[in-house]
Amino acid sequence: MQSVNIITLGCSKNLVDSEHLARQLQAVGYKLVLDSEKFTDVVILNTCGFIHDAKEESIEAILNAVQAKNAGKIKKLYVMGCLSQRYADELRAEIPEVDSFFGARGIDDILQELQVEKKGEILHERLISTPKHLAYLKLAEGCNRTCAFCAIPSIRGKYVSESIETLVNEAKFLVSNGAKELSLIAQDLSFYGYDLYKKNALADLVAELQDINGLEWIRLHYLYPNSFPKEILDSMNQLSKICHYIDIPFQHASDKVLTKMRRYFSEKETFTLMEELKTKVPDIAIRTSLIVGHPGETDKEFQKLVDFVRQAEFDRLGVFTYSHEEGTYAGENYKDSIPEKVKNERQEIIMNLQQEISLKKNKEKVGKIFKVLIDRKESEGYVGRTQYDAFEVDNEVFIETEKLKVGDFYDVKITNADTYDLIGEVINN
């Protein structure tokens, strides 16, 4: 059988789609490669089309693959995912060297193109491309929110939850293959289950996952503040495997901007929720994302955001500059009037402030002991994470030793800290 390389761009949700597709192809004999640097008989590019930079990266990857195909290194080239969902007609016209384009939910169509009959008995299985001790568990597809700046609903469609039974089966498969940490992802975990169970079912799901032998950490990503399921905070306190970590994209802290963003969550509600998170789970680590330069953000509104960041003292924070996106409410109804220079300056102000906060919080950890999961070996030692840090996006712990095992947990005493990382020594090895 031919070799197939699935190259994934964009978010972890795309990665899960690629892993499901890879398992179906593997099951009928294809030789699978999941490596962005290699070209094989068949190459499938799973693209991102969310924001400008992601679109540029996806187009560059397609053109590189086309060049390899023209050089005889690839026999068939297929493109799937968000970019081809949004711009299929334009891409077909501009890049005819691609054999076929498929949408964001195009797995079945690709299987049909490759004359592969989908195997229902392995729908819960995936060919894992992350380090084997961790994996992502995608709870749902699509989004029902109407945020002004976001094109995801028009790309991915309405919110569709996977059943608890299906997710538990998939989680058991992942753990049986070595996963000790599962990161729960969706466009919006705060909406999980409403379409199936008429309520948020996140707490019900994590209670089921808690019982899986071999699973150590359950991590929650992308809970919207609007309709936030507060019962999950009780779950954090009651269930030992849920990391005291939450990824909650507030985006802004000004009523005027939040209204323009169509977030349907007020400045007062934002501060109240932050207080409740820290009160109910005192050691919780909170990651958020913010947008600066959104239409309606005056100097006064931006200062409100700065004050919010200073008061909230987020453990982790990412800042994006606003850009008009096709197919969004803001792109069609607002004027992008804030100069790029001003956006970049505001981004830098927030990030400089966050660096001060991060350094302060990290220095407070010096002398304390944390359970650390080892992610990889490096020349001078090992790199791991605490429960308060997600894979690839958050802080890491550096340990100088030659005796550890990747994928295992160790008690580590923090001996030093900088802005984004910690240094420690194992005390139980």
Side-chain angles (χ1 to χ4, degrees):
M1 295 291 287
Q2 292 179 313
S3 57
V4 179
N5 185 10
I6 303 176
I7 300 173
T8 305
L9 304 169
C11 66
S12 54
K13 295 178 283 293
N14 261 13
L15 186 66
V16 171
D17 292 342
S18 293
E19 292 175 347
H20 276 295
L21 174 59
R23 179 66 185 100
Q24 289 288 330
L25 295 175
Q26 182 190 54
V28 298
Y30 279 99
K31 179 182 177 182
L32 263 296
V33 178
L34 301 175
D35 189 333
S36 61
E37 301 297 323
K38 294 184 178 180
F39 293 121
T40 53
D41 298 324
V42 178
V43 169
I44 300 171
L45 283 168
N46 192 354
T47 59
C48 180
F50 182 40
I51 58 177
H52 175 76
D53 289 346
K55 288 185 281 189
E56 289 294 317
E57 181 186 17
S58 292
I59 291 171
E60 182 179 355
I62 296 171
L63 295 177
N64 286 340
V66 165
Q67 187 176 16
K69 185 183 179 188
N70 291 338
K73 298 177 182 179
I74 297 173
K75 294 178 182 178
K76 292 287 185 178
L77 174 60
Y78 302 111
V79 175
M80 65 180 288
C82 293
L83 186 76
S84 54
Q85 177 74 34
R86 297 186 75 178
Y87 306 108
D89 292 339
E90 294 93 329
L91 290 169
R92 287 191 189 98
E94 295 293 329
I95 316 177
E97 295 90 346
V98 174
D99 291 281
S100 288
F101 290 92
F102 303 93
R105 299 185 182 186
I107 291 179
D108 289 353
D109 295 328
I110 291 177
L111 292 175
Q112 184 176 353
E113 173 76 17
L114 295 174
Q115 298 182 338
V116 173
E117 184 176 350
K118 190 174 184 179
K119 293 184 177 297
E121 66 274 17
I122 61 168
L123 288 179
H124 64 290
E125 298 183 10
R126 288 152 47 190
L127 186 61
I128 305 304
S129 56
T130 53
K132 70 176 185 178
H133 59 274
L134 59 95
Y136 297 102
L137 187 64
K138 187 165 78 167
L139 274 55
E141 182 63 87
C143 185
N144 284 6
R145 306 287 183 178
T146 58
C147 301
F149 53 82
C150 184
I152 290 296
S154 65
I155 299 172
R156 288 280 181 174
K158 291 291 186 179
Y159 199 98
V160 179
S161 301
E162 292 284 357
S163 70
I164 291 176
E165 179 183 9
T166 296
L167 292 169
V168 170
N169 285 337
E170 186 169 333
K172 287 179 177 178
F173 169 80
L174 296 170
V175 173
S176 71
N177 281 271
K180 298 178 181 179
E181 175 185 8
L182 292 180
S183 291
L184 276 52
I185 58 173
Q187 196 61 37
D188 174 15
L189 292 186
S190 294
F191 203 81
Y192 172 71
Y194 276 104
D195 52 328
L196 295 179
Y197 309 110
K198 310 306 177 188
K199 66 169 186 174
N200 182 282
L202 185 60
D204 296 331
L205 172 62
V206 295
E208 295 283 339
L209 297 177
Q210 169 80 18
D211 293 334
I212 298 178
N213 292 329
L215 178 60
E216 296 282 341
W217 281 354
I218 301 166
R219 188 178 302 281
L220 306 178
H221 284 277
Y222 320 130
L223 283 124
Y224 275 47
N226 190 6
S227 306
F228 181 87
K230 296 180 181 179
E231 61 272 14
I232 201 64
L233 301 178
D234 296 325
S235 300
M236 283 187 178
N237 289 323
Q238 296 164 6
L239 303 178
S240 62
K241 296 181 180 180
I242 305 181
C243 294
H244 289 191
Y245 173 99
I246 200 162
D247 188 337
I248 180 167
F250 282 108
Q251 306 298 10
H252 217 279
S254 153
D255 277 337
K256 178 181 177 181
V257 179
L258 289 169
T259 298
K260 294 279 284 186
M261 287 181 167
R262 306 178 84 195
R263 293 289 284 177
Y264 306 111
F265 198 72
S266 70
E267 179 180 335
K268 181 179 179 181
E269 289 171 318
T270 297
F271 280 90
T272 299
L273 179 55
M274 276 295 300
E275 182 178 357
E276 190 164 1
L277 292 174
K278 293 186 175 184
T279 300
K280 286 198 170 184
V281 187
D283 68 327
I284 193 169
I286 304 173
R287 160 172 277 281
T288 196
S289 57
L290 305 173
I291 297 175
V292 294
H294 190 280
E297 187 188 65
T298 62
D299 289 342
K300 177 182 177 181
E301 308 310 321
F302 173 68
Q303 188 59 48
K304 284 188 175 183
L305 183 60
V306 172
D307 293 341
F308 173 55
V309 172
R310 182 176 289 111
Q311 179 176 331
E313 290 195 333
F314 291 103
D315 298 87
R316 317 286 176 250
L317 183 149
V319 188
F320 300 89
T321 57
Y322 173 81
S323 64
H324 265 347
E325 294 296 328
E326 298 171 72
T328 65
Y329 183 89
E332 295 175 356
N333 293 277
Y334 301 152
K335 183 178 180 181
D336 186 10
S337 57
I338 300 175
E340 288 300 314
K341 180 181 178 182
V342 174
K343 294 177 185 177
N344 292 331
E345 288 172 350
R346 290 177 179 177
Q347 181 185 46
E348 185 176 2
I349 289 170
I350 295 289
M351 287 311 303
N352 286 341
L353 174 57
Q354 181 59 29
Q355 286 175 4
E356 296 174 11
I357 295 168
S358 182
L359 180 59
K360 170 192 169 187
K361 284 179 169 285
N362 278 353
K363 285 187 173 180
E364 290 171 353
K365 294 180 173 67
V366 174
K368 297 180 180 179
I369 296 171
F370 296 90
K371 180 180 178 181
V372 171
L373 175 59
I374 303 300
D375 282 331
R376 67 183 185 275
K377 174 77 169 71
E378 289 195 346
S379 58
E380 298 180 356
Y382 290 83
V383 179
R385 292 172 292 114
T386 71
Q387 67 164 314
Y388 307 108
D389 297 287
F391 178 62
E392 289 190 328
V393 296
D394 291 328
N395 289 8
E396 295 178 318
V397 182
F398 294 86
I399 307 164
E400 290 190 19
T401 181
E402 296 180 357
K403 304 177 182 178
L404 307 185
K405 183 179 178 181
V406 173
D408 279 2
F409 291 89
Y410 297 88
D411 289 333
V412 175
K413 182 178 181 180
I414 304 304
T415 58
N416 204 348
D418 61 23
T419 304
Y420 292 121
D421 294 303
L422 305 171
I423 299 171
E425 59 186 19
V426 175
I427 65 170
N428 67 341
N429 190 36

